[in-house]
Amino acid sequence: MTATLPDRARVVIIGGGVIGCSVAYHLTRLGWTDVLLLERKQLTCGTTWHAAGLIGQLRATRNMTQLAKYSAELYTTLEAETGVATGFKQNGSVSLALSKDRLEELKRGASMARTFGLEVEVLTPQDCKEAYPLIDPAGVTGGVFLPKDGQADPANITQALAKGARNRGARILEGVKVTAIHRRDGRVTGVSTDRGEVACAAVVNCAGMWGREVGRQAGVKVPLQACEHFYIVTESIPDLPRDLPVLRVPDECAYVKEDAGKILLGAFEPKAKPWGHDGIPEDFCFDQLPEDVAHFEPILEAAIRRLPILETAGIHTFFNGPESFTPDDRYLLGEAPELRNFYVACGFNSIGIQSAGGAGKALAEWMEAGAPPFDLWDVDIRRMQPFQSTKAYLFERSKETLGLLYADHFPYRQFETARGVRHSPLHERLAAAGACFGEVAGWERANWFLPQAARAAGERPEYRYAWTRQNWFDHAAAEHKAVREGVGLFDMTSFAKIRVEGRDAEAVLQRICANDVAVEPGRIVYTQWLNGRGGIEADLTVTRLAETSFLIVTSAASGPRDLAWLKRHIPDDARCVAIEVTSGEAVLAVMGPKARDLMQPLTEADLSNEAFPFGRAKEIDLGMAVLRAHRITYVGELGWELYVPTEMARQVFDRIVEAGVDHGLRLCGMHALDSCRIEKAFRHFGHDVTDEDHVLEAGLGFAVKPDKTPSKFGDFLGREAVLRKTQQGLTQRLLQFRLADPAPLLYHHEPILRDGEIAGYLTSGNYGHHLGAAIGLGYVACEPEESAAAVLASAYEIEIAGDRVQAEASLKPLYDPKSERVRA
């Protein structure tokens, strides 16, 4: 008998794969009973049913690792709770390295794992053979073993989650297709299906490879693309050990698991095959895609050499099925910026089983509280740019992202596909000057410059990746030196820019900003936007342009997130609008002790310290352009950011470059910018400061004004959390570290050891070319009553790929701690 479709529910979950069932399960655990899950065909019929079921726990960040750990812990208990066997077993996993670089990556990952509380063992080549006796160890340089990793039956895990959700009141209906999503006043109001309408207060898009199309029904951009994913399953192999760990050989693009006396061999090949680009067939249900033996053959040949047992094992199944991939290999989670109460949990990049438990729990808690339970910026859908949901972009990028799962994860590695989307008006000028471009949020940005002499000798401005000093290291060092000793020019056009206009603009921003923005026109205010925990939702500047007009400047990657946060917190009765204006102005940053010497002859404006002090913005002339100069810096030197009408940017750039010849001006890229900012201990949003990091523990109390006059809309968001933390004391502090040894390099997530014990990890790292060693920022745990002097009195080390290096710790910037150069 067909179940009756209810006419209303608190939440409608679209999609009955492992993710949708996990969201339903965890919502009911929080006490939600009016939960309705709708599946167009049958549970697991999209991608879940054919997933390999690998349960790895180590991910790229702490919170992603904690979510993966939770998944494994949940799966150990589901069978006892629901009576549904999940096939979960924890035989561990072995990852092999076949090169020095891969071993460095694995060893750095092992160090990181220990800070996250994971058991991990670094293996020698002989250890690898002992841990996985079936391998041929030829070429193996080492490996790692994680004993708590495992594998499970994806379909049964889904059924167990579904049963657990039903047991607590959720309704799960199969054979019901959602045909429309209704919205009013920027909120979800319900859905239409092929069996009727359902009114609801929230919708969760767990539609897997259909997620993009479901998003379009709601006017929400969900960038994901299905790709073909291949594996084989052998015939039964006599005496095959059932306790084999999962084997990963990323240098050969392969993973292997024992499966009921057989071997499953899967691949993440370097160049993938997008599928369903023109739409997924309506009747798709437990379907396979056509075989492509030629495409899989190189992986199979390498696997036979690595596991000789495969040479005599017959192939029982050659499988090809679709998996959905996002533009950056990180899944999509959270409330959509375009529509209130429309949540997304899809695009799991072939790690849906290991992610499902944690992702479902995190999203359920997000829906319950109205905010993320902790920092989820890695997977937050607000990180995506609107253009990334276009079919053309997704088709090109997805060819690369599948293979990147097993590619070398070198620092500074750049995407190669779907490039050239967004250009500064100065792009051709920079390219002609030897720029090597990287990409952030679709922007092509100069990361470093290859000098003319090197280009004349036949070198090209391109990356040669390594874990040691890469080919651009010395060039970025020279750029860094120019900024510290002379003058450098950066193209910062990619800054996201938001105009806030209206009679209530000041009152709205006073409510949202922790700092005081009730300043006279022409003042620049550095501020954070806080959540109710005192965590940092945004880190940006606000420039007052006029009585009713402000300009917000933030990073390119944070633009959509910050605009969404701002719009969500403009009161309905406020006379205020927020408008994204990024493309209207190019930004040139002239930075260094000789910046004033270079700039003054080019303008009639007085650039003296008395006439144009730090933290001010003024309209000036430069050449034949009228522009706005902001005296502010992210490198820790005297300088100005020049906001130039886009159509005038080239002639302003040319004037500065021409005049700069006499001052030793050097074009500088993002790598030099980052090395300068970390010497000055300037924070980077998404790394050093997140919505999980309290603004006081981040060392940014100077930018918080708890005693400022409340706006007409109330005290600023997060004020009570700031006052509580002031009373309760700090439980961690953000410190700056300089390695005693000038040779090693720091990137992020290296463990911090305090008096020999792990006390935290680095949130960001780079080389301090002026300070003469690698520099890192990271939080260190402390007691609330512990003084700053006591924290600094400890002995500190940083662990790099298993080796401990002594480090100097500081709460003040190691470079120009009094900011005398900035205010010169």
Side-chain angles (χ1 to χ4, degrees), residues 13 15-29 37 70-71 74-75 78 157-158 160-162 165 168 172 206 348 352-353 355-364:
I13 300 169
V18 69
I19 306 300
C21 290
S22 179
V23 173
Y25 174 89
H26 285 94
L27 283 173
T28 61
R29 280 185 54 168
L37 185 150
Y70 170 79
S71 293
L74 173 66
Y75 300 159
L78 269 181
I157 283 179
T158 306
L161 290 167
R168 286 187 292 270
I172 298 177
C206 299
F348 278 82
I353 307 304
S355 303
K361 180 176 186 289
L363 187 62

Side-chain angles (χ1 to χ4, degrees), residues 238-251:
D239 302 321
L240 184 70
R242 299 300 181 93
D243 60 350
L244 286 171
V246 171
L247 176 69
R248 294 182 177 89
V249 193
D251 293 307

Side-chain angles (χ1 to χ4, degrees), residues 54 91-95 132 150-151 244-248 255-257:
L54 308 186
N91 292 343
S93 73
V94 173
S95 294
Y132 204 98
Q151 60 191 71
L244 286 171
V246 171
L247 176 69
R248 294 182 177 89
Y255 62 86
V256 177
K257 76 164 186 174

